[in-house]
Amino acid sequence: MSSPVSDLGIGIVVFASTNIDDIFLLAAFFADPRLRHRSIVMGQYVGIGALVLVSILAALLALALPAGWVSLLGVVPLLLGLSRLRALRGARVDEEAGSNEHRIQDQEHNAERRLRSQILAVAGVTIANGGDNIGVYVPLFATAREAIATYVLTFAVMTGVLCALGYLLVNNKVLGGAIRRYGHIILPSVLIALGIYILSGALVLLR
């Protein structure tokens, strides 16, 4: 039987190894002025929570998700990225037609109204990018069921750390300025590339 300390260490290493790429994705989210910070953090927690819940259920049922099926979720970031590109083009037209102050007020008003949808959008991207999470969490939980509670608490704390690192990256003196300046352009590109990459894993279903 493993000790709580070793379970804690394993949880930190597993979470870091399966979510390190999310730091840059979170940085791109934080750099987008149309996204509220609280919706990004809440969305990340909802997404990670969903991945952990699915992994626990699969582990308890001794099931493994068929290879390729999780990759179909890549359509989520792909569609979000395309939607962001379309909104970006629309924003440029609005900037030519209206004042900057009026545009900012509209963005704040719309952001408040879309808070719930923003949370779901961030959560959807997190889930879609979580194929490796499930692939690692399921066997981990299945072989150490007594440590699941420790892993869940560790993942909850590490999710907060992950969000903080993404935020700090945006506010970094060296990289922050560039990320904030081009974040609204970087985010759609990242989402589209991420969606295509995740969907590529579904090619196994055609074999």
Side-chain angles (χ1 to χ4, degrees):
M1 176 183 265
S2 59
S3 67
V5 175
S6 63
D7 291 336
L8 177 62
I10 292 173
I12 293 175
V13 171
V14 168
F15 185 90
S17 62
T18 54
N19 293 281
I20 189 66
D21 55 333
D22 282 354
I23 294 178
F24 300 99
L25 185 58
L26 284 169
F29 279 135
F30 281 121
D32 191 334
R34 292 170 296 183
L35 292 176
R36 295 295 180 95
H37 290 175
R38 58 175 173 170
S39 67
I40 297 172
V41 174
M42 292 174 66
Q44 186 71 12
Y45 267 100
V46 171
I48 293 294
L51 291 172
V52 171
L53 180 59
V54 169
S55 299
I56 291 175
L57 294 176
L60 295 178
L61 295 174
L63 296 175
L65 295 179
W69 286 102
V70 176
S71 299
L72 292 177
L73 290 173
V75 71
V76 175
L78 178 60
L79 292 179
L80 284 174
L82 293 174
S83 176
R84 288 282 177 183
L85 279 181
R86 182 178 180 182
L88 184 61
R89 293 181 59 186
R92 290 175 177 173
V93 174
D94 292 339
E95 185 175 358
E96 296 176 357
S99 67
N100 186 56
E101 181 179 356
H102 179 69
R103 180 169 56 87
I104 292 176
Q105 291 176 348
D106 286 344
Q107 288 179 351
E108 292 178 349
H109 179 66
N110 291 334
E112 187 66 32
R113 292 178 57 187
R114 296 196 304 267
L115 176 61
R116 184 175 303 176
S117 63
Q118 288 181 358
I119 294 174
L120 294 177
V122 174
V125 173
T126 301
I127 294 172
N129 194 34
D132 54 342
N133 298 58
I134 294 177
V136 174
Y137 296 167
V138 171
L140 176 65
F141 294 160
T143 56
R145 296 185 180 183
E146 72 282 353
I148 289 179
T150 301
Y151 292 144
V152 170
L153 291 176
T154 303
F155 291 174
V157 174
M158 290 298 293
T159 299
V161 173
L162 190 71
C163 292
L165 290 175
Y167 178 79
L168 290 175
L169 182 60
V170 172
N171 291 276
N172 180 273
K173 293 182 179 180
V174 178
L175 301 175
I179 294 177
R180 288 192 300 271
R181 189 177 302 111
Y182 301 107
H184 64 294
I185 299 175
I186 295 174
L187 182 57
S189 303
V190 170
L191 290 175
I192 292 173
L194 178 63
I196 294 175
Y197 173 75
I198 295 174
L199 281 171
S200 65
L203 293 176
V204 68
L205 297 175
L206 302 177
R207 297 177 183 175

